[in-house]
Amino acid sequence: MVGDQLRRRRHHRDETLTETAGNAGVSPQYLSEVERGLKEPSSEMIAAIAGALDTSLIELTSAVADELRRATAAPASAAVSVTRGAFALAA
């Protein structure tokens, strides 16, 4: 989700991978792999990329946390059916 958020912010700024990567001090290939979730960057690398996109690490992590909350918020009916399914399998 961090990579998705970085990509969205880069696209919002109409920047290419090469532009953002250059500003962050990373290779375009590395940035592409981060955006696609193929690399797990260190917090320092995330901060460098976020800085290149004129955002803070706090803003970035807050946006990712919001996405996670929305993704895990299931409708009550779905939660009930999953729970019933788990009990059925356990029995």
Side-chain angles (χ1 to χ4, degrees):
M1 289 192 145
V2 170
D4 287 338
Q5 189 62 228
L6 290 170
R7 178 181 286 138
R8 275 190 238 119
R9 289 170 187 257
R10 181 175 61 79
H11 285 171
H12 181 73
R13 293 168 54 90
D14 292 325
E15 287 188 14
T16 65
L17 276 167
T18 303
E19 291 169 330
T20 302
N23 291 334
V26 301
S27 72
Q29 179 181 350
Y30 181 80
L31 178 56
S32 173
E33 290 173 349
V34 168
E35 287 184 353
R36 291 181 290 140
L38 301 177
K39 292 276 187 196
E40 291 189 29
S42 67
S43 57
E44 290 85 8
M45 292 309 253
I46 296 171
I49 297 166
L53 294 169
D54 290 328
T55 191
S56 70
L57 200 50
I58 291 173
E59 290 171 328
L60 183 66
T61 54
S62 291
V64 170
D66 290 343
E67 280 185 55
L68 286 170
R69 276 191 285 277
R70 283 191 299 273
T72 59
S77 60
V80 170
S81 64
V82 169
T83 303
R84 287 184 188 147
F87 284 127
L89 290 174

